[in-house]
Structure formats: C-alpha cells, structure tokens
Amino acid sequence: MITANEIRRRFLEFFRSQGHEIVRSSSLVPKDDPSLLFTNAGMVQFKKIFLGQEKRGYVRATTSQKCLRVGGKHNDLENVGRTARHHTFFEMLGNFSFGDYFKEDAIKFAWKFLTEDLGLPKERLYATVFRDDDEARDLWLAHTDIPAERIYRMGEKDNFWSMGDTGPCGPCSEILIDQGEHMTCGPDCGIGKCDCDRYLEIWNLVFMQYDQAADGTRTALPKPSIDTGMGLERIAAVCQGVYSNFDTDLFQAIIQYTCEIAGVSYRANDETDTALRVIADHSRSVAFMITDGILPSNEGRGYVLRRLIRRAYRFGRLIGQTGTFLHKTALKVVEVMGDDYPELRGNADFMARVVREEEERFNRTLDKGLALLEEELEGLRGAGSTRVAGDVAFRLYDTYGFPLDIVNDIAEKRGFTVDEDGFRALMAEQKERAKAAWKGSGESDIASRFHALLEEGLRSEFIGYEHLAGDSRVVALLDASGLPSEGLPKGAKGYVVTTRTPFYGASGGQTGDLGSIASPSGKARVLDTLKPSPDLTVHQIETVDGELLPDQEVHLHVEEDERVASARNHTCTHLLHAALRRVLGDHVKQAGSLVAPDRLRFDFTHIAAMTPEEIAAVEREVNRVILADLPLETDHMAYDAALTRGAMALFGEKYGDEVRVVAIADESVELCGGTHLRATGQAGLFLILSEGGVAAGVRRIEAITGWNALRMVMDQRAELGQVAGLLKARPGEIVPRVEALQKDVKGLRKDLEKASAQATSGQGRNIMDELAEINGVKVLAARVDVPNVKALRDLMDDVRSKLPSGIACLAAPDGDKVSLIVAVSKDLHDRFTAPALIKAVAAAVGGSGGGRPDMAQAGGTNPAGIDEAFDILRKTVAA
C-alpha cells in the first residue's frame, strides 16, 4: 500500500522534475493577508505574486500546504467526523505557474502524475470544464485518454474561480474518479447531479486568465497563471483503496491509539466512530496550530483553538474518557507527521503542555456546563415543557464550549428538543460582531496603500547594512494621500521611493529609520521608513526647505544615533531569545517583537509567569554575552541550509528561498533581515524593565540597552542616594534600616489593634446590660463606637459568645455613614434570619445589606435613623 507520505514525496519530486521549485508550506497564520483568519488553500502564500505585488526567483512552484478551514464559508466543523471527507486540518498538494506555462501543460502534468506516477486507472477518470472553455475541453481530448463523453461542462458556481470580487480569476477544470457502482446514491446519480462520493473530485486546476473589475467586466491577463489543488487526504484514500479519508494511514494510527487509551473499538458503532474521527481530526489541527504559534484564548485564532480542544475533549467524554487525553493523541500526530514537518518535533513538549492545561481547565468548566444543562432540563420538566430555548443552548456553547450537537444529544436522550433556529440566530449575531471586530492577519494596510507602486514593479536596493548614507535617484514621489505628485514644497508631507537606499524599512519588528533626504532643489526630513514588500522601501517625508521633485538625484542620510540604538536593541532581542531558551526551556519561541531606538519588547511562548530568580538569570545571561564582546557574523544562504546550521526561524515571519543568517558565536543563530551591531560589546548594558502576560501562553518582556540602560542606572543610583539621606544610612545599610522601620510600624499597628480590642471587649461587657426580652426572645440593640468594620464584627463575636440564644443588632455611626450588623442564633432560624432582619432594619438608615442566616451586615447613609432601626427590630420580633 502506498502511504500518504510517499504520495506527498512523489508529488513534489514529480513537479521538481518538471522545473518547479519545491516551496515549503507556509504557516497556518497568513502573515499579511487581512482577509484570512487561517491559511485555507495552497495559493495563499503566492497571492502577492498572482497580484503582481511580489516577484520571486522562480516562475514554477510546487507545495504541500498545511491548511485549516474552521470559519467563514469554509466552515466544515459540524460535519467533521460525520462524513468521509470533511476536515478542519488538511494538506493541499499544488503546482503553480506564475505567467509561465498554462492550460496545456497543467493538464499534461496532472494526467501524467495521476496515471503514471500513481497508476490510477485511466478508464475511471473524468474531467469537468467551464461551460465556455472550449480550449480546455480540446486539450483534454488532445493530450489525455479521456473520451468526449467523460468531459462535462459545468456552470460558474462549480467551475469558475476568483480571488475576490476583483482581481485575478478564471475557469477551472476538475479531475474526478469513478469509485464504482457500489457508491451510487440512486437513479439520478451522476456528475453535476448529486453530491455523493461515487464520482469523487480529486484535483482542481484553476486557469487564471482574467482580471475582474469592480463592475464585473473581465479583461485578459497579460501573463495567465496556474493554481492547482489536490487534497492529500482524499488522494491517499483513493490510492489506498478506502472510501473514507479517516481510513487512510494519516488518521488510522491516531484513531487506533485513541481506541487503545479509551478502551473502545473502531467500527463498533456510529456514535463511537464519530467521536474517534473528531478526536483524530482535531488532534491534527491542535498540534499544528500550537506549533505555528497559536495559543488558546477567548478571541480570534486562539478562540478557534480553544473550541477545537474543548470539542475533542467532550467527544472523548462520550467514549468514556474521564481524564486528560488529547495531549497524548496530539503527540501521536507528532509521531505520524514529525518527519515531514520537523517543527512538530521541535515544539512537541510545549504543545502537549498547552493542550493538557487547556483540557484541565475545560474539565472544570465542563462539569459546570453539564450541571447547568441538567438544571435547565429539570426546570423544563417541572414546567411541563420539552423544548430547550435557543439562548440556553447558545450560552452553553459560548460559555462552556458545548457544540449544539452535544446539547442536542443530551437533550434528546431525556426526551427534549432544542430550539435550533433561536440558537443559530444568536450565532449569526455573534459572527457579525466578530466580523466587525476582526482586524485580519496583516500588520497594516501598507501593501494596499502602495498597491500601484507594487504593480509597476518598482524596486529599491537596500544598502543600509554597509552604509548610513548614499546617493540615489527619485523614482516615485507621492503626496500625503499616496497619489503621484509633481513636487512636494516646503511644509508638505508625502512619500519618496529611490532606486537605492540606506534607510531600513520597518519590518521584522524593527521600526523604520529616521534621517534626511537632500536634492539640488530642496531638503526633506524622513519621518518613517516603510516596507510594503521585500523589494520596495518607501520613505515617509516632510519637506523642510525648498521643494522635492520627481526624477531628481538625491543624497540620503540615516540618523546614526537612532540606527545604532535600534541595532543595540535588535541584537539584544537575539541574545534575550537565546537566554530565555537556556533558562526556561526549548519550548520558548518568539511570538512577536518591537525593536525601537528607545526600547525593545519581546513576546514569547511560555505558560507561567517568570520568577524573580528566572528574570535575574536571563538578564545575567544577556549581559554575560555582551561583556564577552562576541562578533556578529551575517551570511546569505538557502533556507534549508540555514535550518541545518541550526538557525531559529521565527513564528509569523515569511522567509524567501535565500535567507540572511545572523550568528553570534555559539550563543545565537537566527534568520533575520534587521540591522545589528558589529559585536555584542557595543550593546553596553541590558536591563529588563518588566515581565508579564499578554495572552494565554504568551509572556512579554520589555527591556532597554546602551545609553537608555545607563541613564536608568544613574537615575536609580541618584534616587537611592536620596533614600539613604532620608534614612541617614550609608550604602549597604538601607535595607536593614527599612526593615527596622517596618518592624516598628508593625509593632505600632499591633499596639493600636490591641488597644482597639481592649476597648471593644469593654464595650461588649457593658452593652450586655441593654439586653431585653421580647415575645420570649432575648434582644440586644445597641449603638457602639468602634474604629472600623472589622472591630464591629469582633464586637459582635464577643456578644454572640455571651448570647447563646437571641438576636443582636449593633450600629456603628461614622460621620455621615453607619454600619449595621445583625446576628440570630441558630435555634431561632425557623422564625427569624439575619438577612431578613437586616433588610428591614437597614432601610431606616438609608441602606441595604445581606449575609448568612446567622449573620448579616449592612451600610447606610443616615446615622440619625439608628433609633428608628432599633424600633423596627423590636416591633418585628414582637409581631
């Protein structure tokens, strides 16, 4: 049997042999696509190439792209485990042409791979084409063995693809396989007639040949392109002779392992099988999501991850799992797929820890949710109703992670139905709110702002690694709104692009350079430097003298102090990353950063807050390397070669096929395009300012270096000198002197409390004289003078110790406020309770309160009403 791993390998090698570059899978988190929550197709990482905004060193590519579909129009979640083909996580095999080959070669490649490399029977293969695409139909007839009667014309819904409302689009051609008559759904079964699995789509070839305008008109693209997609899980099922993706080797190892730890069997009953398939599917998603830097939270991607973990955990409960287990099945995913996705192995321990902690958290929540549902069902039964309201189902889903099908399952077994329409209406409202709040995955709208420049193919060479100044020529001049300008006079703001620049454009967490641009006719201040694409740098400027004009020769100069300060902070983020991994463990991964001249901010994956000892150890490690004055070495090499060297690839970064490697002796090796020091000693000093949490499983360190760190040390030393002067202490004596003062304060506080307690005790003995008997009940109502509420409670405790049966009410005025406390002995609870009495009594002093049956407390704003309050108490007891 051919394995899925072998199919993946054969696919990539086949297209390599046809001149394609094998491009590694991008992250599940699309770096700069605001329209997407997750990478959901193979073409996502090539989107800018198709749009003409980016160029790479190849015109043919092939990938096996990890994808996730759990939201929007690609939401397969509720179908997962119930059908043969729906998944949340899957791999998309694809081949791409960027203006190189077109329909003919795409069809030839697909046919050759399927029939020769995979050996699929030609007589069982079919093709569909767009209804008007005669060219594609003729090519199928000319270059394959598919006869005309096995080529079907389809409408726009099925066989026309577009990237959006506007932009590249074109007809599709799908390849299907007949799985046999035993898969027939009925007499009307056929291509385009039903959705059963007899005629199974296995490969979709998209022919991008048009550019669609906002009004719907389409014009031919100058360089048509190819985008294809074939699900690995689906083609593996076909090649392995099974009729469910879950029966392939990609899933069976996980399913059988789950059976083993749960003590159940696969194919025993539908309910168990569904649960096992859900757990297998979600285990794959969870393992890859956490590996790509997503952590459980209550919003965005983190919420999707949390939901998947909880959903899988609940299905585990249905097959008898009572403790945590999903972290084990997620580790099984690492075992099955770790060879092809080594990042899984490198992150396995941390991933499992995140999953286990989320399981434990949900286990506590789940019991509350089940109790709430049981309580709701009991209440409905008592009211004679059999329908669970939609808002109840939604609250269970939203708060406790209960999918609707689980609520349905529990309700149905007890003879109830669920208002699904009401539930879905509330879900729709929530989705609209989420859509309105969703900010996308891109750092900014920079790329879209300079879309026209990218389409023109403008490039600017970066010379800033070696030089802080240089001469160049203006190739684009834009006004503040981003439109082409004939000149920017004094006081005007806008944007400048030059053929080469020493200015570093903001990227990789590092802020853009500042400086100046001078021309024969004027001078401008560079306010910021932007980087819409890897090959384009844009200077944001304000003209300060004369006028800046298009196509001028200019001199560019970077502000050196600012650049060096940023370099200090950037180099120290590398040292910090390495130090955190040494002190906390290899699970630490960068999850974001900010490198500015005045500070650095570093986000990293770690579950717990760092201890003061750990923070000190990390700070010490970074300064150790700074004091060692180790040289930094930079090199350019192939991405795979860099990883082999041990370079850290940072989460969320999009790397090209050739990367820049920054190495600091044996201390740190990272892929990085930022600016750095020549040697670590130039950083001077590194100080951590703060450490805290920013999201579930993500911590943040803020730090300073160089002159900023030195200024802080000097300021703190000056402040310490002032403290020493106030304490009349020499250096080294401050802590003991403060400790002695604290001891004195503590002693004085105890003396004050002791005096207060003595006064309270005396009052307790005296106020017992005011005890009266009303209607057979001993009642004490007394005004007292105590320093605080705690003393009032202490006094009541003293009264209760001397009043085994009875009711006591103490009132303590304090300016324009009053505190009340009522106590009722247990033997009187069948007649009186403290909360009921305090409610009536407190009204007289303009307040309210509550408490336990034996003790209740209240506050009010009318001390003049104390006597009235006591009268109310006495009348209530006498009634």
Side-chain angles (χ1 to χ4, degrees):
M1 180 188 77
I2 185 172
T3 65
N5 289 341
E6 177 65 15
I7 294 171
R8 186 194 299 110
R9 187 193 66 78
R10 285 192 193 181
F11 182 88
L12 297 175
E13 288 300 326
F14 170 81
F15 281 100
R16 188 206 294 269
S17 72
Q18 303 297 331
H20 293 64
E21 181 82 12
I22 297 179
V23 180
R24 65 192 176 276
S25 171
S26 63
S27 169
L28 287 174
V29 180
K31 178 172 172 55
D32 33 332
D33 190 339
S35 66
L36 292 176
L37 191 62
F38 299 105
T39 299
N40 59 12
M43 61 77 59
V44 169
Q45 67 164 309
F46 303 117
K47 192 170 179 180
K48 284 191 176 182
I49 303 179
F50 286 127
L51 291 170
Q53 298 175 358
E54 182 181 324
K55 286 183 171 57
R56 299 193 188 177
Y58 47 80
V59 291
R60 298 182 175 192
T62 183
T63 63
S64 179
Q65 174 65 50
K66 51 192 181 186
C67 300
L68 202 70
R69 291 185 180 177
V70 286
K73 68 177 182 178
H74 296 303
N75 189 358
D76 296 336
L77 187 58
E78 295 304 325
N79 291 321
V80 172
R82 304 186 185 280
T83 69
R85 319 248 173 247
H86 282 99
H87 305 294
T88 53
F89 174 87
F90 63 96
E91 292 179 77
M92 185 71 82
L93 304 173
N95 59 287
F96 307 87
S97 165
F98 311 115
D100 185 25
Y101 63 84
F102 198 44
K103 293 180 185 179
E104 181 177 339
D105 284 336
I107 290 171
K108 284 181 178 178
F109 291 150
W111 185 256
K112 180 176 172 63
F113 179 72
L114 291 176
T115 60
E116 296 182 21
D117 284 61
L118 295 185
L120 298 187
K122 299 177 181 179
E123 65 277 8
R124 289 169 52 197
L125 295 176
Y126 292 71
T128 66
V129 297
F130 182 54
R131 64 188 174 218
D132 301 328
D133 196 354
D134 295 332
E135 180 187 8
R137 183 179 184 279
D138 293 343
L139 289 169
W140 279 111
L141 289 171
H143 298 290
T144 75
D145 296 322
I146 297 181
E149 62 270 19
R150 295 216 306 269
I151 302 175
Y152 289 76
R153 293 182 185 270
M154 307 292 283
E156 191 158 325
K157 179 177 179 291
D158 295 305
N159 276 63
F160 197 92
W161 180 91
S162 61
M163 191 176 289
D165 294 334
T166 61
C169 60
C172 307
S173 187
E174 296 180 347
I175 305 171
L176 304 93
I177 188 167
D178 181 359
Q179 298 206 94
E181 290 186 9
H182 65 288
M183 299 290 286
T184 299
C185 63
D188 295 327
C189 184
I191 296 174
K193 298 179 180 179
C194 65
D195 293 323
C196 79
D197 280 350
R198 174 172 178 177
Y199 299 99
L200 183 69
E201 177 207 335
I202 54 177
W203 204 339
N204 187 20
L205 315 180
V206 178
F207 309 133
M208 280 193 271
Q209 64 187 95
Y210 301 113
D211 184 12
Q212 181 166 296
D215 62 3
T217 58
R218 295 167 183 162
T219 56
L221 289 170
K223 289 186 176 180
S225 298
I226 291 294
D227 161 25
T228 83
M230 176 166 60
L232 176 62
E233 294 77 8
R234 187 171 292 203
I235 192 64
V238 170
C239 291
Q240 293 173 15
V242 295
Y243 300 101
S244 168
N245 294 357
F246 291 99
D247 290 340
T248 65
D249 61 329
L250 285 167
F251 290 93
Q252 275 301 302
I254 307 168
I255 288 174
Q256 294 304 327
Y257 176 69
T258 308
C259 288
E260 180 184 328
I261 62 177
V264 297
S265 298
Y266 190 49
R267 298 298 186 193
N269 63 73
D270 289 343
E271 187 176 282
T272 298
D273 290 350
T274 296
L276 290 168
R277 291 190 288 261
V278 168
I279 291 167
D281 172 272
H282 290 9
S283 295
R284 288 170 19 120
S285 296
V286 163
F288 277 94
M289 290 172 78
I290 296 173
T291 296
D292 277 357
I294 302 167
L295 294 165
S297 70
N298 287 327
E299 58 184 14
R301 299 183 184 98
Y303 179 69
V304 173
L305 173 60
R306 172 163 285 167
R307 186 180 170 197
L308 290 177
I309 293 174
R310 294 183 170 197
R311 191 169 188 269
Y313 185 84
R314 172 59 185 156
F315 273 97
R317 278 281 193 97
L318 294 177
I319 59 172
Q321 289 291 102
T322 55
T324 60
F325 70 92
L326 190 65
H327 65 286
K328 299 176 184 176
T329 57
L331 284 172
K332 192 67 178 178
V333 175
V334 177
E335 183 183 318
V336 172
M337 305 184 73
D339 289 343
D340 293 277
Y341 292 96
E343 65 266 28
L344 286 173
R345 294 196 187 280
N347 206 51
D349 291 342
F350 176 70
M351 180 273 294
R353 180 180 174 187
V354 171
V355 177
R356 186 178 65 252
E357 292 194 4
E358 185 64 23
E359 287 184 275
E360 291 170 349
R361 185 180 293 111
F362 182 48
N363 183 46
R364 297 188 292 270
T365 303
L366 182 62
D367 290 333
K368 294 178 183 176
L370 287 171
L372 191 151
L373 180 55
E374 289 293 343
E375 181 181 329
E376 177 68 19
L377 295 179
E378 284 300 316
L380 290 173
R381 184 176 288 110
S385 174
T386 60
R387 191 165 179 79
V388 178
D391 64 327
V392 174
F394 179 76
R395 187 166 71 253
L396 286 166
Y397 163 81
D398 195 45
T399 306
Y400 301 101
F402 277 41
L404 179 61
D405 57 340
I406 293 176
V407 178
N408 266 327
D409 180 63
I410 296 172
E412 184 180 338
K413 288 179 179 177
R414 289 162 175 74
F416 292 85
T417 60
V418 179
D419 176 15
E420 295 190 26
D421 290 340
F423 171 85
R424 291 193 179 94
L426 291 167
M427 277 292 293
E429 290 178 15
Q430 185 190 65
K431 286 179 180 178
E432 284 302 313
R433 289 193 298 270
K435 185 177 180 182
W438 169 242
K439 295 180 176 61
S441 59
E443 289 81 9
S444 66
D445 64 346
I446 291 176
S448 60
R449 195 190 318 170
F450 301 107
H451 177 77
L453 299 181
L454 294 169
E455 284 198 326
E456 288 177 29
L458 283 184
R459 299 164 69 91
S460 44
E461 179 190 358
F462 178 60
I463 60 171
Y465 291 136
E466 299 83 15
H467 308 284
L468 291 179
D471 296 324
S472 188
R473 183 174 63 87
V474 175
V475 292
L477 188 68
L478 310 176
D479 63 20
S481 63
L483 297 175
S485 173
E486 293 301 317
L488 294 177
K490 182 178 179 180
K493 293 183 179 180
Y495 303 94
V496 173
V497 178
T498 56
T499 54
R500 57 205 301 259
T501 178
F503 282 78
Y504 180 84
S507 58
Q510 182 174 333
T511 57
D513 281 335
L514 309 177
S516 62
I517 297 178
S519 76
S521 62
K523 184 177 181 180
R525 182 168 68 246
V526 177
L527 308 174
D528 198 0
T529 309
L530 312 173
K531 202 173 186 68
S533 81
D535 298 321
L536 181 64
T537 300
V538 178
H539 310 88
Q540 184 177 3
I541 65 160
E542 179 181 11
T543 305
V544 295
D545 189 29
E547 184 178 21
L548 224 60
L549 301 172
D551 204 35
Q552 283 187 311
E553 295 297 320
V554 292
H555 180 73
L556 302 99
H557 187 272
V558 175
E559 177 62 49
E560 182 175 5
D561 290 345
E562 298 286 305
R563 165 69 79 83
V564 173
S566 291
R568 289 191 184 101
N569 287 333
H570 205 152
T571 296
C572 283
T573 62
H574 287 217
L575 299 181
L576 174 59
H577 193 183
L580 286 165
R581 288 170 64 83
R582 282 194 292 272
V583 173
L584 301 180
D586 289 341
H587 66 274
V588 169
K589 299 285 192 305
Q590 180 172 333
S593 70
L594 171 68
V595 176
D598 61 330
R599 65 192 172 105
L600 68 90
R601 186 180 72 215
F602 190 80
D603 295 347
F604 58 98
T605 54
H606 187 57
I607 294 294
M610 291 177 66
T611 65
E613 293 75 19
E614 288 171 337
I615 293 172
V618 167
E619 195 174 69
R620 191 164 49 246
E621 274 291 292
V622 174
N623 283 300
R624 174 185 64 79
V625 182
I626 289 173
L627 292 173
D629 195 26
L630 300 175
L632 276 79
E633 298 179 359
T634 60
D635 196 6
H636 288 80
M637 62 183 69
Y639 178 83
D640 292 337
L643 295 187
T644 301
R645 184 177 173 182
M648 288 285 294
L650 305 184
F651 162 69
E653 286 298 310
K654 184 187 290 184
Y655 298 105
D657 300 299
E658 184 177 272
V659 293
R660 182 170 182 260
V661 178
V662 177
I664 307 172
D666 295 330
E667 302 292 339
S668 168
V669 183
E670 289 194 16
L671 308 184
C672 181
T675 61
H676 286 275
L677 304 170
R678 294 186 303 276
T680 59
Q682 290 180 280
L685 177 64
F686 171 85
L687 295 176
I688 292 177
L689 300 178
S690 64
E691 189 276 343
V694 292
V698 178
R699 310 293 300 175
R700 171 173 292 173
I701 280 177
E702 299 211 25
I704 51 177
T705 63
W707 289 106
N708 294 314
L710 180 60
R711 274 192 291 272
M712 179 177 171
V713 170
M714 294 176 70
D715 289 345
Q716 289 182 340
R717 188 167 65 180
E719 186 177 17
L720 195 61
Q722 290 179 335
V723 173
L726 291 171
L727 295 172
K728 297 181 172 55
R730 293 191 299 271
E733 297 178 346
I734 294 175
V735 172
R737 187 64 58 87
V738 171
E739 288 175 340
L741 286 174
Q742 286 181 322
K743 186 177 180 181
D744 290 345
V745 170
K746 189 175 181 180
L748 290 171
R749 187 176 291 118
K750 282 186 175 180
D751 291 343
L752 180 62
E753 289 177 353
K754 183 177 180 181
S756 175
Q758 288 174 344
T760 297
S761 176
Q763 281 186 330
R765 287 191 299 273
N766 295 332
I767 62 176
M768 294 305 294
D769 295 338
E770 301 178 38
L771 190 65
E773 187 168 315
I774 303 173
N775 200 15
V777 177
K778 293 182 178 179
V779 177
L780 173 66
R783 186 191 303 256
V784 296
D785 182 19
V786 292
N788 50 50
V789 174
K790 181 181 180 300
L792 180 64
R793 287 195 295 265
D794 289 342
L795 178 55
M796 180 58 83
D797 287 341
D798 186 48
V799 169
R800 292 173 70 192
S801 70
K802 298 170 182 175
L803 186 64
S805 176
I807 297 172
C809 177
L810 302 180
D814 181 15
D816 59 353
K817 296 179 181 179
V818 60
S819 296
L820 290 174
I821 190 166
V822 171
V824 179
S825 60
K826 191 173 182 180
D827 61 305
L828 299 176
H829 286 179
D830 59 336
R831 298 168 58 191
F832 307 103
T833 64
L837 291 175
I838 199 83
K839 185 176 182 181
V841 169
V845 294
S848 63
R852 305 185 310 269
D854 61 327
M855 179 88 76
Q857 190 173 316
T861 57
N862 179 27
I866 291 178
D867 290 337
E868 182 184 349
F870 290 162
D871 287 340
I872 291 172
L873 175 68
R874 295 185 184 101
K875 290 176 181 177
T876 301
V877 176

